[in-house]
């Protein structure tokens, strides 16, 4: 009997040990991301769908987009809860004390904020808008003292009923970096995301204000992505294939690990860094670790045209075909991705050239 009781005690001890070991899932709670704004963010705000899909395709899977509003339809399933309230003003949200309830219901770790468009439309001044930003920031930090805030320099505006709106946006956007610098802390950093530069109210919106469903939302997503992945930090590891030159054995590389529009491509020793990681999209786009796309510079179609990275636009100079012989062809130009002059050294420029079947135009994904 004593032996039996001793055996039972051992079994019970083992069960307790198993049940009390923390699981990996419990140790790695998803990072909760709130997109906060107006109709540009929420109605339907399909840049959020593109952003979620981009995060998933590059290994940032341990995230949870949160909000009290459901995901609008964007053509595919995605994690789209949000706080994009059509018609809302930054000043109205602050004055009506609406944000604390949303924060309490969703408990975000990171907030992406594009707010101020309706304030501009209502002729509310920059100082008043920034005061609302400060009150909203205080509420975010009261909810989470370690809140990371990504604040947008808002999109340009040119609505038919507001000739002055364009200038007012410029005034607000020029003031946002100074506001962010004054309020950012080590515990709760603020990052400015430039949604204004390179965005065209004629080409990228449906009405001078709201982004269209092609280039508009693509440009917005391409600006949010690098800032958001930086905020996510080591929580996820970006993934992507390297593209290796058949002649050189070196990798397709964004020069100097640059992330700015216009940064050129070159050959460099393969090193596993994000500036050598590429993901291949269903529309023919090849997206780098920065979130920007492989691009025939200046829409060029002649041999010798430089290849760089640029905000993803969906245009033909950013569409590529991977051929069975290992060549990569620009769909707009019909020219091949080429290591210039048959060179193989580090720093060799990569450009477009007439397809010739030679080894400096053959590439492999690894």
């Amino acid at each position: 009997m004593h032996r039996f009781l001793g055996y039972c005690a051992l079994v019970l001890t083992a069960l307790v040990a198993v049940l009390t070991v923390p699981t990996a899932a419990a140790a790695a709670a998803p990072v909760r991301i709130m997109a906060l704004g107006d109709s540009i963010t929420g109605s339907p705000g399909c840049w959020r769908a593109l952003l979620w899909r981009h995060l998933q395709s590059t290994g940032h899977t341990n995230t949870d987009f949160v909000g009290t509003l459901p995901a609008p339809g964007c053509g595919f399933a995605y994690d789209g809860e949000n706080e994009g309230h059509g018609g809302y003003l930054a000043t109205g949200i602050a004055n009506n004390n609406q944000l604390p309830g949303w924060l309490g219901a969703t408990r975000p770790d990171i907030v992406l904020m594009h707010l101020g468009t309706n304030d501009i439309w209502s002729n509310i001044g920059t100082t008043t808008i920034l005061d609302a930003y400060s009150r909203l920031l205080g509420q975010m930090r009261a909810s989470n003292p370690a809140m990371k805030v990504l604040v947008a320099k808002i999109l340009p505006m040119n609505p038919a009923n507001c000739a002055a709106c364009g200038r007012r946006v410029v005034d607000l956007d020029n003031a946002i970096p100074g506001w962010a610098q004054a309020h950012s802390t080590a515990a709760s950093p603020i990052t400015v995301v430039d949604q204004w530069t390179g965005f065209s109210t004629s080409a990228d919106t449906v009405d001078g204000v709201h982004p269209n469903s092609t280039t508009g939302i693509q440009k917005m997503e391409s600006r949010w992505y690098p800032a958001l992945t930086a905020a996510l930090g080591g929580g996820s590891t970006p993934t992507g294939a390297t593209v290796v030159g058949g002649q050189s054995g070196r990798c397709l590389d964004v020069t100097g690990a640059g992330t700015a529009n216009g940064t050129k491509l070159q050959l460099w020793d393969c090193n596993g860094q994000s500036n050598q990681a590429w993901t291949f999209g269903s529309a023919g786009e090849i997206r780098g670790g920065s979130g920007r796309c492989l691009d025939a510079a200046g829409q060029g179609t002649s041999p010798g045209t430089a290849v760089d990275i640029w905000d993803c636009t969906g245009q033909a100079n950013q569409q590529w075909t991977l051929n069975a012989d290992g060549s990569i062809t620009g769909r707009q130009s019909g020219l091949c991705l080429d290591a210039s002059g048959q060179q193989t050294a580090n720093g060799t420029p990569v450009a477009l050239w007439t397809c010739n079947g030679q080894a400096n135009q053959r590439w492999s994904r690894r």
Side-chain angles (χ1 to χ4, degrees), residues 20-32 61-64 235:
T20 56
V21 172
T23 64
V31 179
R32 301 170 68 84
T61 56
N62 196 30
T63 58
D64 181 14

Side-chain angles (χ1 to χ4, degrees), residues 9 38 46 52 77 96 180 183 235 328 351:
D38 46 41
C46 287
W52 175 85
N96 295 322
H183 290 82
I328 299 175

Side-chain angles (χ1 to χ4, degrees), residues 135-211:
R135 285 182 282 159
L136 297 175
L137 176 64
Q139 292 168 348
M140 294 175 199
R141 288 173 172 168
S143 167
N144 180 352
M147 187 77 77
K148 296 179 180 179
V149 181
L150 278 54
V151 60
K153 295 175 69 172
I154 67 172
L155 298 179
M157 295 176 64
N158 188 25
N161 64 352
C162 183
C165 279
R167 180 68 250 173
R168 294 175 197 156
V169 170
V170 171
D171 291 342
L172 173 61
D173 282 350
N174 285 343
I176 285 174
W179 173 86
Q181 184 176 15
H183 290 82
S184 187
T185 67
S188 175
I190 303 173
T191 301
V192 177
V193 178
D194 185 0
Q195 293 286 356
W196 190 91
T197 302
F199 195 96
S200 168
T201 55
S202 58
D204 300 323
T205 74
V206 294
D207 56 3
V209 178
H210 297 88

Side-chain angles (χ1 to χ4, degrees), residues 222-283:
S222 72
R223 304 298 173 82
W224 286 119
Y225 176 82
L228 179 54
T229 53
L232 290 170
S236 303
T237 301
T239 59
T242 54
V243 177
V244 182
Q247 184 178 50
S248 66
R250 292 192 162 94
C251 277
L252 186 65
D253 177 280
V254 182
T255 301
T259 60
N261 282 336
T263 304
K264 300 298 189 289
L265 276 291
Q266 63 177 5
L267 297 179
W268 201 265
D269 291 332
C270 299
N271 54 34
Q273 301 299 310
S274 61
N275 65 312
Q276 295 182 354
W278 305 93
T279 56
F280 296 78
S282 59

